[in-house]
Amino acid sequence: MSQKALDRLQRTLPQALVQRYEDLSGAHWAIIAKESLIPLLRYAKEELGFRLFISMDAVDRLQLPVNKPRFEVLYFLYSIEENEHLRLKVLVDEEAPVVPSAHDVFQGALWAERSVWDFYGIRFEGHPDLRRLFLYEEFEGHPLRKDYPLRGRQPLTPERPHGIEEAFCGPGSNRPV
């Protein structure tokens, strides 16, 4: 799938790739050094043609046999010209769950990073508007973490007077959604 692109990335930015592997489905992955993420994403977009940011997500490895570091942040890119997928992974410590924001390279990362922050508590350094996307601001914790209490109670909040456009477009916004 993207083995050719990973070979080129490894030749050009050898310090960025920590590890490469093939999963059970035959997809090729690269584990990226956190500090090299943004230069690598920029190179993949501008030089290799992976211009489509498909999505990103996170994994909490708390209950896996090998769980250090605790989190993985996954990036899925696509090259229309080459009809190839690029799968990248950044490992994140529990003590400092922070990753550089990819929004300068891929505008679509803004919403995806908010989603990962909301559900996993991984911060994106440099994100211009890192706030909850799906849950309300007073929500305590991050529900997709493996140590989130199953029967946990959340604080009750009063009904808000503003509409949905303010939730998605920001305070004082009069833009339609």
Side-chain angles (χ1 to χ4, degrees):
M1 297 233 191
S2 60
Q3 189 169 4
K4 182 173 63 172
L6 291 178
D7 290 342
R8 208 162 145 202
L9 283 172
Q10 193 160 23
R11 281 193 306 273
T12 308
L13 301 165
Q15 75 285 358
L17 271 70
V18 174
Q19 181 184 350
R20 290 174 57 172
Y21 68 93
E22 186 176 344
D23 66 17
L24 296 174
S25 71
H28 295 274
W29 285 82
I31 298 176
I32 306 302
K34 187 183 346 181
E35 59 276 358
S36 300
L37 175 66
I38 301 308
L40 188 137
L41 288 175
R42 188 165 278 118
Y43 182 81
K45 180 180 182 180
E46 295 171 0
E47 301 299 324
L48 300 181
F50 288 91
R51 291 180 183 83
L52 184 57
F53 178 87
I54 295 177
S55 69
M56 68 180 290
D57 205 348
V59 175
D60 184 351
R61 303 162 26 124
L62 182 66
Q63 296 173 345
L64 295 176
V66 178
N67 60 7
K68 298 288 182 195
R70 179 172 172 179
F71 298 105
E72 300 174 347
V73 178
L74 314 171
Y75 296 85
F76 301 92
L77 309 177
Y78 183 71
S79 170
I80 296 171
E81 295 85 11
E82 298 292 327
N83 190 25
E84 279 191 0
H85 292 270
L86 185 61
R87 295 167 184 86
L88 306 171
K89 184 183 293 191
V90 175
L91 303 178
V92 183
D93 290 325
E94 180 177 12
E95 294 77 34
V98 179
V99 176
S101 175
H103 84 278
D104 282 340
V105 182
F106 293 104
Q107 201 172 24
L110 284 171
W111 289 81
E113 289 173 351
R114 283 180 62 187
S115 174
V116 169
W117 156 248
D118 203 0
F119 290 125
Y120 292 94
I122 298 171
R123 291 197 146 293
F124 292 90
E125 190 172 55
H127 192 286
D129 187 23
L130 194 61
R131 58 192 165 103
R132 294 210 180 257
L133 181 61
F134 297 108
L135 303 171
Y136 54 96
E137 286 298 324
E138 295 85 4
F139 193 92
E140 294 173 358
H142 304 281
L144 291 185
R145 284 188 173 202
K146 299 295 184 202
D147 55 0
Y148 183 78
L150 291 176
R151 300 196 192 292
R153 304 273 300 163
Q154 289 296 323
L156 295 175
T157 59
E159 187 173 330
R160 291 184 165 76
H162 57 72
I164 191 167
E165 61 275 346
E166 193 166 310
F168 288 103
C169 301
S173 176
N174 58 2
R175 297 185 314 195
V177 176

